[in-house]
Amino acid sequence: MGDHLHEPGKWMVEYKYMNMFMEDNRIGENTISDSSALGTSTPVGPPGPGITTDGITTNRAATPTQMTMEMHMAHVMYGATDDITLYTMAMLPNISMDHTRADFTDFTTSNSGFGDMAFGALLRLYSDDCQDWILNLGCSVPTGDIFETTSIPTGSPTAFPYPMRLGSGTFNMRPGITFKRYYDWYSWGMQFQTDLPIGHNYRGYRVGEEYRFNSWNSILLTDNLSVSMRGEHLWRTAFDGKDPEANGTMISTNVEQFRGGYWYSLGFGAQYLWGSHYFNAEIVPTIAQEVDGVQLETDYAIIASWSRTF
Protein backbone atom coordinates (compact mmCIF):
# COMPACT_ATOMS: atom_id res chain seq x y z
CA MET A 1 0.00 0.00 0.00
CA GLY A 2 1.11 3.55 -0.70
CA ASP A 3 3.92 2.63 -3.10
CA HIS A 4 2.94 4.73 -6.15
CA LEU A 5 1.52 8.10 -7.19
CA HIS A 6 -0.96 9.14 -9.89
CA GLU A 7 -0.90 11.94 -12.45
CA PRO A 8 -2.88 15.11 -11.65
CA GLY A 9 -6.60 14.55 -12.09
CA LYS A 10 -6.27 10.76 -12.29
CA TRP A 11 -8.30 8.45 -10.03
CA MET A 12 -7.75 4.89 -8.90
CA VAL A 13 -10.36 2.66 -7.27
CA GLU A 14 -9.37 -0.67 -5.72
CA TYR A 15 -11.05 -3.58 -4.03
CA LYS A 16 -8.75 -5.73 -1.91
CA TYR A 17 -9.55 -8.98 -0.11
CA MET A 18 -7.41 -10.56 2.62
CA ASN A 19 -7.93 -13.78 4.54
CA MET A 20 -5.59 -14.52 7.45
CA PHE A 21 -5.63 -17.92 9.16
CA MET A 22 -4.31 -18.66 12.67
CA GLU A 23 -4.24 -22.02 14.46
CA ASP A 24 -2.68 -23.44 17.66
CA ASN A 25 -1.16 -21.46 20.51
CA ARG A 26 2.45 -20.66 21.25
CA ILE A 27 4.61 -19.07 23.90
CA GLY A 28 7.53 -17.20 22.41
CA GLU A 29 8.83 -19.35 19.54
CA ASN A 30 7.30 -22.64 20.76
CA THR A 31 3.96 -24.22 19.90
CA ILE A 32 2.02 -25.45 22.95
CA SER A 33 -0.99 -27.74 23.41
CA ASP A 34 -4.50 -26.54 24.18
CA SER A 35 -4.19 -27.93 27.71
CA SER A 36 -0.98 -25.95 28.22
CA ALA A 37 -2.65 -22.80 26.91
CA LEU A 38 -5.44 -23.35 29.44
CA GLY A 39 -3.19 -24.18 32.38
CA THR A 40 -0.04 -22.06 32.11
CA SER A 41 1.11 -18.64 31.06
CA THR A 42 3.64 -15.98 31.87
CA PRO A 43 2.72 -13.58 34.71
CA VAL A 44 -0.30 -11.33 34.14
CA GLY A 45 -0.28 -9.43 37.41
CA PRO A 46 0.14 -9.63 41.18
CA PRO A 47 -1.13 -12.65 43.12
CA GLY A 48 -4.89 -12.90 43.04
CA PRO A 49 -7.71 -15.27 42.04
CA GLY A 50 -6.19 -17.83 39.70
CA ILE A 51 -2.72 -16.26 39.78
CA THR A 52 -0.14 -17.74 42.12
CA THR A 53 2.96 -16.00 43.35
CA ASP A 54 5.11 -17.74 40.72
CA GLY A 55 2.95 -16.24 37.95
CA ILE A 56 1.28 -19.50 36.83
CA THR A 57 -2.35 -19.03 35.85
CA THR A 58 -4.42 -22.03 36.94
CA ASN A 59 -8.04 -21.25 36.12
CA ARG A 60 -8.37 -19.95 32.57
CA ALA A 61 -11.91 -20.74 31.50
CA ALA A 62 -11.13 -21.09 27.78
CA THR A 63 -8.47 -20.72 25.13
CA PRO A 64 -8.68 -19.88 21.41
CA THR A 65 -7.69 -22.71 19.08
CA GLN A 66 -8.23 -21.17 15.65
CA MET A 67 -9.03 -17.78 14.15
CA THR A 68 -9.92 -16.59 10.66
CA MET A 69 -9.92 -12.90 9.79
CA GLU A 70 -11.40 -11.79 6.48
CA MET A 71 -10.89 -8.20 5.43
CA HIS A 72 -12.69 -6.38 2.60
CA MET A 73 -11.03 -3.08 1.70
CA ALA A 74 -12.21 -0.25 -0.59
CA HIS A 75 -9.36 2.04 -1.59
CA VAL A 76 -9.56 5.33 -3.54
CA MET A 77 -6.60 7.43 -4.72
CA TYR A 78 -6.54 10.80 -6.48
CA GLY A 79 -3.63 12.61 -8.10
CA ALA A 80 -3.79 16.15 -6.68
CA THR A 81 -0.53 17.39 -8.26
CA ASP A 82 2.49 15.88 -9.98
CA ASP A 83 4.02 15.20 -6.57
CA ILE A 84 1.01 14.65 -4.27
CA THR A 85 -1.55 11.84 -4.34
CA LEU A 86 -4.39 11.69 -1.81
CA TYR A 87 -6.01 8.46 -0.64
CA THR A 88 -8.67 7.01 1.62
CA MET A 89 -9.48 3.43 2.56
CA ALA A 90 -12.49 1.82 4.24
CA MET A 91 -12.25 -1.63 5.84
CA LEU A 92 -14.87 -4.28 6.64
CA PRO A 93 -13.40 -7.03 8.87
CA ASN A 94 -15.12 -10.34 9.55
CA ILE A 95 -13.51 -12.25 12.43
CA SER A 96 -14.31 -15.77 13.61
CA MET A 97 -12.56 -17.50 16.53
CA ASP A 98 -12.90 -21.12 17.70
CA HIS A 99 -12.33 -21.88 21.40
CA THR A 100 -12.14 -24.81 23.76
CA ARG A 101 -13.15 -24.65 27.42
CA ALA A 102 -11.32 -26.12 30.38
CA ASP A 103 -13.67 -29.13 30.15
CA PHE A 104 -12.69 -29.37 26.42
CA THR A 105 -16.10 -28.49 25.06
CA ASP A 106 -15.97 -26.11 22.11
CA PHE A 107 -17.63 -22.87 21.04
CA THR A 108 -17.19 -20.25 18.31
CA THR A 109 -17.62 -16.47 18.39
CA SER A 110 -17.82 -14.10 15.41
CA ASN A 111 -17.73 -10.35 14.93
CA SER A 112 -18.00 -8.22 11.80
CA GLY A 113 -18.70 -4.64 10.82
CA PHE A 114 -17.05 -1.39 9.83
CA GLY A 115 -13.37 -0.99 10.78
CA ASP A 116 -11.17 2.08 11.22
CA MET A 117 -10.90 4.34 8.15
CA ALA A 118 -7.55 5.49 6.78
CA PHE A 119 -6.67 8.79 5.10
CA GLY A 120 -3.42 10.18 3.85
CA ALA A 121 -1.21 11.83 1.27
CA LEU A 122 1.70 10.38 -0.71
CA LEU A 123 4.46 12.90 -1.41
CA ARG A 124 7.12 12.41 -4.07
CA LEU A 125 10.49 13.13 -2.49
CA TYR A 126 12.56 12.27 -5.56
CA SER A 127 12.05 10.52 -8.89
CA ASP A 128 13.97 9.89 -12.07
CA ASP A 129 13.80 7.33 -14.88
CA CYS A 130 14.84 4.43 -12.64
CA GLN A 131 13.87 5.20 -9.03
CA ASP A 132 11.22 6.69 -6.74
CA TRP A 133 11.28 7.97 -3.15
CA ILE A 134 7.79 8.40 -1.68
CA LEU A 135 6.76 9.71 1.75
CA ASN A 136 3.47 8.48 3.20
CA LEU A 137 1.74 10.85 5.63
CA GLY A 138 -1.20 8.72 6.72
CA CYS A 139 -3.58 8.44 9.64
CA SER A 140 -6.61 6.44 10.76
CA VAL A 141 -9.78 7.50 12.55
CA PRO A 142 -11.61 5.33 15.13
CA THR A 143 -14.70 4.30 13.15
CA GLY A 144 -14.44 0.62 14.15
CA ASP A 145 -16.50 -0.63 17.12
CA ILE A 146 -14.32 -1.67 20.10
CA PHE A 147 -17.07 -2.66 22.51
CA GLU A 148 -19.43 -5.04 20.73
CA THR A 149 -20.72 -7.82 23.00
CA THR A 150 -21.66 -11.47 22.58
CA SER A 151 -23.69 -13.89 24.70
CA ILE A 152 -21.44 -16.79 23.69
CA PRO A 153 -20.29 -18.63 25.78
CA THR A 154 -21.46 -17.09 29.08
CA GLY A 155 -25.14 -16.63 28.23
CA SER A 156 -24.97 -12.94 29.15
CA PRO A 157 -23.56 -10.01 27.14
CA THR A 158 -19.75 -10.07 27.34
CA ALA A 159 -17.30 -7.84 25.48
CA PHE A 160 -15.33 -9.48 22.70
CA PRO A 161 -11.64 -10.07 23.55
CA TYR A 162 -9.08 -7.69 22.10
CA PRO A 163 -8.19 -9.59 18.86
CA MET A 164 -11.87 -9.71 17.86
CA ARG A 165 -12.56 -5.98 18.16
CA LEU A 166 -13.03 -4.07 14.92
CA GLY A 167 -10.83 -1.05 15.55
CA SER A 168 -8.30 0.59 17.82
CA GLY A 169 -10.56 3.23 19.37
CA THR A 170 -7.91 5.93 18.86
CA PHE A 171 -6.68 8.28 16.18
CA ASN A 172 -3.46 6.77 14.83
CA MET A 173 -0.56 8.28 12.93
CA ARG A 174 0.70 6.12 10.03
CA PRO A 175 3.86 7.67 8.57
CA GLY A 176 5.99 5.64 6.17
CA ILE A 177 8.54 5.82 3.38
CA THR A 178 9.00 3.80 0.17
CA PHE A 179 11.92 3.36 -2.23
CA LYS A 180 11.61 1.63 -5.63
CA ARG A 181 14.28 0.88 -8.27
CA TYR A 182 13.44 -0.06 -11.87
CA TYR A 183 15.25 -1.94 -14.63
CA ASP A 184 14.09 -3.11 -18.08
CA TRP A 185 12.58 -6.39 -16.85
CA TYR A 186 13.17 -6.30 -13.11
CA SER A 187 12.42 -4.07 -10.12
CA TRP A 188 12.90 -4.07 -6.38
CA GLY A 189 11.80 -1.92 -3.49
CA MET A 190 11.65 -1.33 0.24
CA GLN A 191 9.00 0.18 2.48
CA PHE A 192 8.92 1.09 6.16
CA GLN A 193 5.44 1.74 7.55
CA THR A 194 4.22 2.47 11.09
CA ASP A 195 0.93 2.57 13.01
CA LEU A 196 1.22 4.77 16.11
CA PRO A 197 -1.84 5.23 18.39
CA ILE A 198 -2.41 8.62 20.00
CA GLY A 199 -3.56 8.56 23.62
CA HIS A 200 -6.00 6.01 25.07
CA ASN A 201 -9.45 5.11 23.81
CA TYR A 202 -12.69 5.55 25.77
CA ARG A 203 -12.35 2.01 27.16
CA GLY A 204 -9.11 3.00 28.92
CA TYR A 205 -6.44 1.26 26.81
CA ARG A 206 -4.20 1.88 23.81
CA VAL A 207 -3.39 -0.81 21.25
CA GLY A 208 0.27 -1.54 20.60
CA GLU A 209 2.49 0.31 18.16
CA GLU A 210 3.15 -1.46 14.88
CA TYR A 211 6.23 -1.32 12.64
CA ARG A 212 6.42 -3.05 9.23
CA PHE A 213 9.41 -3.36 6.94
CA ASN A 214 8.79 -4.82 3.49
CA SER A 215 11.29 -5.57 0.73
CA TRP A 216 10.37 -7.11 -2.60
CA ASN A 217 11.59 -8.18 -6.02
CA SER A 218 9.47 -8.32 -9.17
CA ILE A 219 10.26 -9.91 -12.53
CA LEU A 220 8.42 -8.97 -15.74
CA LEU A 221 7.56 -12.15 -17.66
CA THR A 222 5.60 -10.43 -20.44
CA ASP A 223 4.45 -6.88 -21.11
CA ASN A 224 1.39 -7.56 -18.96
CA LEU A 225 2.42 -10.24 -16.43
CA SER A 226 4.90 -10.22 -13.56
CA VAL A 227 5.72 -12.38 -10.55
CA SER A 228 7.03 -11.18 -7.22
CA MET A 229 8.51 -12.26 -3.91
CA ARG A 230 8.19 -10.13 -0.77
CA GLY A 231 9.61 -10.37 2.72
CA GLU A 232 7.82 -8.68 5.61
CA HIS A 233 9.10 -8.02 9.13
CA LEU A 234 6.36 -7.03 11.59
CA TRP A 235 6.89 -5.82 15.15
CA ARG A 236 4.06 -5.06 17.60
CA THR A 237 4.27 -3.77 21.16
CA ALA A 238 1.97 -4.71 24.05
CA PHE A 239 -1.20 -2.76 24.86
CA ASP A 240 -1.05 0.05 27.39
CA GLY A 241 -3.83 0.44 29.94
CA LYS A 242 -6.76 -1.92 30.45
CA ASP A 243 -10.40 -2.30 29.51
CA PRO A 244 -12.22 -2.99 32.82
CA GLU A 245 -14.41 -5.55 31.01
CA ALA A 246 -11.39 -7.54 29.73
CA ASN A 247 -10.83 -10.38 32.20
CA GLY A 248 -7.33 -11.69 31.56
CA THR A 249 -7.63 -14.44 34.15
CA MET A 250 -10.40 -16.07 32.11
CA ILE A 251 -8.80 -16.11 28.64
CA SER A 252 -5.36 -15.18 27.26
CA THR A 253 -6.79 -12.95 24.48
CA ASN A 254 -7.80 -10.46 27.18
CA VAL A 255 -4.27 -10.05 28.57
CA GLU A 256 -2.85 -6.69 27.46
CA GLN A 257 0.76 -7.90 27.80
CA PHE A 258 0.04 -10.77 25.36
CA ARG A 259 -0.49 -8.61 22.27
CA GLY A 260 3.08 -7.92 21.15
CA GLY A 261 5.70 -9.89 19.27
CA TYR A 262 7.63 -10.32 16.03
CA TRP A 263 6.53 -12.00 12.80
CA TYR A 264 8.37 -12.67 9.55
CA SER A 265 6.46 -13.64 6.40
CA LEU A 266 7.21 -14.32 2.74
CA GLY A 267 4.78 -13.31 0.01
CA PHE A 268 4.67 -15.04 -3.39
CA GLY A 269 2.57 -13.13 -5.91
CA ALA A 270 1.55 -12.55 -9.51
CA GLN A 271 0.34 -9.34 -11.11
CA TYR A 272 -1.53 -8.87 -14.39
CA LEU A 273 -2.29 -5.64 -16.28
CA TRP A 274 -5.23 -5.57 -18.70
CA GLY A 275 -5.76 -2.11 -20.11
CA SER A 276 -6.59 0.12 -17.14
CA HIS A 277 -7.36 -2.90 -14.93
CA TYR A 278 -4.73 -4.30 -12.59
CA PHE A 279 -5.05 -7.69 -10.85
CA ASN A 280 -2.87 -8.94 -8.00
CA ALA A 281 -2.82 -12.20 -6.03
CA GLU A 282 -0.44 -13.28 -3.27
CA ILE A 283 -0.06 -16.08 -0.74
CA VAL A 284 1.86 -15.12 2.40
CA PRO A 285 3.02 -17.93 4.71
CA THR A 286 4.46 -16.94 8.09
CA ILE A 287 8.06 -18.22 8.29
CA ALA A 288 9.02 -17.20 11.84
CA GLN A 289 7.27 -15.68 14.82
CA GLU A 290 8.06 -14.93 18.46
CA VAL A 291 5.07 -13.78 20.50
CA ASP A 292 4.74 -12.23 23.94
CA GLY A 293 2.91 -14.51 26.34
CA VAL A 294 0.30 -16.94 24.98
CA GLN A 295 -1.03 -16.14 21.50
CA LEU A 296 -2.43 -17.91 18.46
CA GLU A 297 0.11 -18.72 15.76
CA THR A 298 -0.24 -16.95 12.42
CA ASP A 299 -0.08 -19.57 9.66
CA TYR A 300 -0.67 -17.73 6.39
CA ALA A 301 -2.63 -15.02 4.59
CA ILE A 302 -4.15 -14.87 1.11
CA ILE A 303 -4.45 -11.48 -0.58
CA ALA A 304 -6.15 -10.58 -3.86
CA SER A 305 -7.05 -7.23 -5.39
CA TRP A 306 -8.49 -5.52 -8.45
CA SER A 307 -7.91 -1.87 -9.27
CA ARG A 308 -8.66 0.47 -12.12
CA THR A 309 -7.32 3.90 -13.03
CA PHE A 310 -9.25 6.53 -14.97
Side-chain angles (χ1 to χ4, degrees):
M1 300 294 293
D3 69 337
H4 64 280
L5 279 74
H6 292 276
E7 297 175 1
K10 292 289 186 180
W11 290 84
M12 185 205 79
V13 293
E14 179 183 43
Y15 165 72
K16 178 174 285 190
Y17 171 81
M18 183 187 74
N19 190 315
M20 185 174 68
F21 182 75
M22 309 169 76
E23 186 175 27
D24 296 329
N25 286 275
R26 69 166 47 202
I27 295 177
E29 298 179 318
N30 302 310
T31 303
I32 61 174
S33 65
D34 293 343
S35 58
S36 295
L38 284 162
T40 64
S41 75
T42 52
V44 298
I51 304 175
T52 65
T53 54
D54 60 0
I56 301 300
T57 301
T58 57
N59 71 338
R60 291 207 189 282
T63 184
T65 59
Q66 181 176 296
M67 174 174 157
T68 300
M69 185 184 72
E70 289 186 300
M71 184 77 75
H72 302 272
M73 292 167 275
H75 184 206
V76 179
M77 302 180 75
Y78 174 71
T81 71
D82 286 329
D83 298 320
I84 300 175
T85 290
L86 307 177
Y87 69 86
T88 184
M89 183 168 60
M91 292 178 279
L92 290 168
N94 183 1
I95 306 167
S96 178
M97 185 179 286
D98 296 336
H99 302 77
T100 187
R101 298 183 179 90
D103 62 2
F104 295 103
T105 57
D106 300 326
F107 66 93
T108 299
T109 55
S110 299
N111 193 19
S112 62
F114 199 60
D116 290 351
M117 285 196 69
F119 300 90
L122 303 176
L123 283 65
R124 190 192 316 274
L125 299 179
Y126 176 81
S127 291
D128 58 28
D129 292 338
C130 60
Q131 62 181 321
D132 287 324
W133 284 92
I134 299 171
L135 179 66
N136 186 347
L137 297 179
C139 68
S140 68
V141 296
T143 50
D145 192 346
I146 63 169
F147 199 62
E148 186 71 25
T149 61
T150 178
S151 295
I152 302 172
T154 62
S156 59
T158 304
F160 280 105
Y162 293 125
M164 297 195 67
R165 301 186 182 190
L166 304 179
S168 65
T170 58
F171 291 89
N172 296 359
M173 298 185 298
R174 292 181 169 179
I177 191 167
T178 303
F179 171 75
K180 298 198 297 183
R181 183 73 163 84
Y182 306 97
Y183 302 88
D184 289 339
W185 56 272
Y186 170 77
S187 67
W188 65 274
M190 300 182 295
Q191 183 184 78
F192 181 67
Q193 193 72 28
T194 62
D195 194 340
L196 309 174
I198 302 172
H200 291 68
N201 58 39
Y202 77 95
R203 296 301 306 169
Y205 69 94
R206 179 177 64 228
V207 302
E209 298 174 355
E210 184 173 294
Y211 304 89
R212 292 178 185 264
F213 178 75
N214 276 278
S215 60
W216 64 89
N217 298 274
S218 179
I219 297 174
L220 196 63
L221 301 181
T222 72
D223 288 342
N224 300 90
L225 177 66
S226 67
V227 293
S228 62
M229 184 173 73
R230 175 174 64 92
E232 179 181 78
H233 301 265
L234 169 61
W235 297 267
R236 288 195 185 105
T237 63
F239 285 13
D240 184 68
K242 178 179 176 60
D243 185 334
E245 297 294 325
N247 188 345
T249 64
M250 299 296 288
I251 191 166
S252 59
T253 46
N254 269 336
V255 180
E256 294 78 13
Q257 298 95 321
F258 290 3
R259 307 286 5 116
Y262 165 75
W263 294 260
Y264 177 68
S265 304
L266 283 178
F268 303 93
Q271 301 78 36
Y272 182 71
L273 183 64
W274 180 48
S276 61
H277 301 268
Y278 180 74
F279 301 90
N280 175 70
E282 189 178 37
I283 183 168
V284 190
T286 302
I287 305 302
Q289 52 194 306
E290 183 175 0
V291 302
D292 297 341
V294 180
Q295 296 186 46
L296 282 172
E297 294 182 345
T298 302
D299 292 333
Y300 64 87
I302 296 173
I303 303 169
S305 66
W306 162 85
S307 62
R308 185 188 177 194
T309 57
F310 56 92

